[in-house]
Amino acid sequence: MAGSGLGGKYALIGMAESDVGIVPDKSPRELCVQVTLDAIRDAGLTLADVDGLITCNAFAEPIMYHAEAVAEYIGWQPRHCVTVNTGGGTTFMALNMAAAAIEAGMADTIVVAMADSLRSFMTREQAMVVQSSSGHPHYEQPYGPTVPAYYALIARAHMDEFGTTGEQFAEAAVSCRAWASQHPKAQMRDPISVEDVMNSRAIADPLKVLDCSLVSDGGAAVVITRQDRAKDGPHKPVTLLGYGEGHAYEHISQAKNLTTSAALQSGRAAYAEAGLAPADINLLQLYDCFTPALLIQIEDLGFCDKGEGGDWLASGISRPGGSKPLNTHGGMLSYCHPGNPGAMFGLTEAMTQMRGDAGKRQIEGISTALCHAQGGIMSSHATVILGVD
Amino acid sequence: MAKPLPRPTPTEQPFYDACARGELILQHCQHCGHVLFYPRTHCDACQSEQLVWQRASGAGVIASYTVVRRGVSADFEAPYVIALVDLVEGPRMMSQIVDVDFDALAVGLSVTVDFASWSEDITLPVFRLHPALDDDAS
Ligand SMILES: [Zn+2]
């Protein structure tokens, strides 16, 4: 399984987040502009030092040429400027495309910036309909499936095949909330129990409202450059050690296997390129759009055997004090989930931890992190492994 | 917001025409024998264009299901059942399971196709539990 061939050559030198949660005073484009400039400043650079921009379109404010519009807004004419849209997986695919663009000589230093405002710039029904529009327009959507329903189909299949329980899915939400309670910016900070999840409102059986990620506003950006240029910045550079992708299908009704995802392929490629194994990973930042998605990624990325994700989560290993800290900002279940930018906050949290700036929730002795995101309904997967000296 | 409805392409039209007369039809690849769903111009096993419609039995089993408690929009009155059905001919399709006691649902149960009018122009396949098929198998 070959990786991207870019491992070890590129580093993240800047990052920024906007306010997250409910942010009604700025549009998605304005948030994207803000985090772009803040991330450049965080890297100790000015706009003149940066020559590439990669963004993702926003559901709440779609723009035909999104990256160009963001650059135009601040009077910037970058050498490389492109919009990537691979749904929830965009964060890490865009990061790899940035590294590849630098490798190809298209730019030297690139900002990857994403923002959306599903909470304040859309009605609840609009947000639901736009997200469920990932379903096949002829062979899925007419039946009225919701996004939680798609993941409920996956959850039910996992329960049937491996005996996983609703309580075990709930453990994922409990773990993320335990971390979020230690993060001053998290949208949801009150600790919850498995009982709280199980007693929360039924959405699509077996999933309850607390099994589902938040609906939020927010944006984040990172700056990437060649490893040899990364040394002079104000922060410890975070190196991209390995990257992998896996693409299985688009629509859930076309999945050959409901309980094993293409995270298996993306993870294997990333581990191979980094020369690391799951046991070597100090921090996991996974894609928790719904609790069963998180559980299946834990299995497919090799942190436990297939079918044992429920036991793994219930053991408490992922919570504060556990040996495999997971989504230490609280994830999309508790920190924030503005749609496609959701995984950006897993990346900025990994960088924060690797810089040693995570305050109360700081993990000691961290040298590696694995970040994962997926687009569609467990459809397209991207894994990145990060390292810090 | 209106209920999403298929707007069949010429390739897909035979499928919807069959639904309207109460038949489930599937494309069979003349090159490799693969049975397709959803309708396509090219086989998704061998990419051949030699595809021929044949009537399906309408029987399948539940691969997974969920009771949707909160509908996608006001046009869908919850609760309703979304399921993935594995047809005996091979393909998997999404559908609704109708007129069902939610507590009776389980992965692996047999279902058979029925047809429901979705709009003036569109009839869609839906499924019902078919316990007799499970009794025969046991
Ligand atoms: Zn074929």
Side-chain angles (χ1 to χ4, degrees):
Chain A
M1 188 73 62
S4 63
L6 302 171
K9 295 159 84 171
Y10 297 93
L12 296 160
I13 58 169
M15 56 169 262
E17 290 183 10
S18 70
D19 289 342
V20 299
I22 302 171
V23 190
D25 60 320
K26 282 202 170 78
S27 78
R29 173 168 17 195
E30 292 162 356
L31 290 174
C32 197
V33 163
Q34 176 198 327
V35 294
T36 296
L37 292 172
D38 286 352
I40 292 170
R41 196 171 302 123
D42 180 70
L45 302 175
T46 67
L47 200 53
D49 302 315
V50 182
D51 54 3
L53 174 66
I54 302 182
T55 70
C56 177
N57 215 339
F59 281 134
E61 191 188 18
I63 304 169
M64 180 105 49
Y65 304 101
H66 190 272
E68 282 86 343
V70 169
E72 172 196 273
Y73 194 97
I74 50 176
W76 184 23
Q77 290 95 34
R79 200 147 65 88
H80 182 59
C81 189
V82 64
T83 308
V84 175
N85 188 11
T86 51
T90 304
T91 294
F92 303 120
M93 292 189 195
L95 201 60
N96 184 62
M97 290 173 77
I102 300 171
E103 179 86 4
M106 295 158 75
D108 291 317
T109 301
I110 295 180
V111 182
V112 175
M114 295 169 63
D116 210 339
S117 307
L118 302 190
R119 183 66 174 254
S120 300
F121 283 72
M122 299 183 97
T123 65
R124 214 170 163 79
E125 172 149 334
Q126 281 173 335
M128 246 175 124
V129 167
V130 78
Q131 291 183 77
S132 69
S133 67
S134 65
H136 195 294
H138 293 184
Y139 302 104
E140 294 183 347
Q141 286 187 51
Y143 292 110
T146 56
V147 180
Y150 296 133
Y151 283 92
L153 293 169
I154 291 170
R156 178 64 62 188
H158 203 280
M159 294 165 88
D160 184 69
E161 191 172 347
F162 301 111
T164 306
T165 64
E167 286 80 1
Q168 290 176 323
F169 292 128
E171 293 281 2
V174 172
S175 174
C176 286
R177 186 62 64 85
W179 283 110
S181 73
Q182 304 189 7
H183 197 310
K185 272 180 74 180
Q187 190 173 345
M188 301 297 282
R189 302 189 58 213
D190 293 337
I192 53 172
S193 65
V194 167
E195 293 68 39
D196 291 333
V197 180
M198 297 305 288
N199 292 331
S200 67
R201 192 157 48 93
I203 297 293
D205 299 353
L207 301 183
K208 314 291 198 295
V209 70
L210 289 176
D211 287 298
C212 306
S213 52
L214 304 170
V215 178
S216 321
D217 309 322
V222 297
V223 180
I224 178 173
T225 194
R226 278 210 320 269
Q227 181 75 13
D228 61 337
R229 294 169 170 261
K231 311 265 186 254
D232 306 329
H235 302 287
K236 226 195 264 187
V238 172
T239 306
L240 271 66
L241 297 177
Y243 175 76
E245 290 180 19
H247 303 276
Y249 53 83
E250 180 179 9
H251 304 106
I252 187 64
S253 58
Q254 294 287 308
K256 305 269 188 270
N257 187 330
L258 292 170
T259 56
T260 296
S261 73
L264 192 67
Q265 284 79 37
S266 69
R268 280 179 183 164
Y271 287 127
E273 184 167 67
L276 295 172
D280 302 318
I281 303 298
N282 302 138
L283 167 65
L284 288 65
Q285 292 289 145
L286 307 185
Y287 198 80
D288 55 341
C289 50
F290 295 91
T291 55
L294 190 55
L295 185 148
I296 286 175
Q297 289 163 43
I298 287 160
E299 295 173 349
D300 293 347
L301 293 167
F303 295 105
C304 65
D305 288 339
K306 193 72 214 171
E308 292 179 1
D311 291 337
W312 191 93
L313 281 166
S315 74
I317 192 170
S318 64
R319 296 191 203 179
S323 61
K324 287 289 184 193
L326 165 68
N327 294 3
T328 52
H329 57 324
M332 305 193 300
L333 287 164
S334 287
Y335 184 70
C336 82
H337 182 208
N340 289 337
M344 285 296 290
F345 301 93
L347 178 61
T348 50
E349 172 67 3
M351 290 175 68
T352 303
Q353 289 279 357
M354 297 178 105
R355 290 176 174 188
D357 292 340
K360 205 173 152 191
R361 57 185 199 287
Q362 181 64 47
I363 302 156
E364 295 309 320
I366 178 172
S367 61
T368 58
L370 180 146
C371 301
H372 184 86
Q374 55 159 73
I377 311 300
M378 304 290 289
S379 310
S380 61
H381 294 255
T383 308
V384 63
I385 297 175
L386 304 173
V388 72
D389 290 334
Chain B
M1 236 163 282
K3 224 173 185 173
L5 285 169
R7 292 193 304 161
T9 65
T11 302
E12 297 173 312
Q13 193 61 51
F15 176 81
Y16 292 96
D17 290 344
C19 287
R21 59 177 191 266
E23 290 180 13
L24 184 69
I25 61 172
L26 297 170
Q27 291 169 302
H28 290 237
C29 176
Q30 301 304 290
H31 184 253
C32 77
H34 182 59
V35 184
L36 285 69
F37 190 80
Y38 45 86
R40 290 165 161 94
T41 55
H42 293 70
C43 172
D44 63 319
C46 77
Q47 293 75 50
S48 167
E49 295 175 73
Q50 294 165 42
L51 306 175
V52 172
W53 291 103
Q54 287 183 34
R55 188 168 179 176
S57 66
V61 297
I62 297 175
S64 194
Y65 68 93
T66 178
V67 181
V68 179
R69 303 287 179 178
R70 181 164 185 191
V72 67
S73 69
D75 296 303
F76 290 90
E77 196 182 332
Y80 52 94
V81 179
I82 296 287
L84 295 173
V85 173
D86 285 342
L87 301 173
V88 297
E89 288 81 6
R92 174 173 289 176
M93 64 187 292
M94 186 175 285
S95 190
Q96 283 191 7
I97 299 191
V98 298
D99 297 332
V100 63
D101 169 7
F102 298 151
D103 293 331
L105 287 163
V107 172
L109 290 183
S110 294
V111 290
T112 50
V113 76
D114 197 354
F115 294 90
S117 175
W118 232 251
S119 74
E120 213 168 285
D121 302 321
I122 295 290
T123 297
L124 290 184
V126 295
F127 287 82
R128 295 173 189 277
L129 288 186
H130 196 111
L133 289 174
D134 292 316
D135 294 344
D136 292 347
S138 59

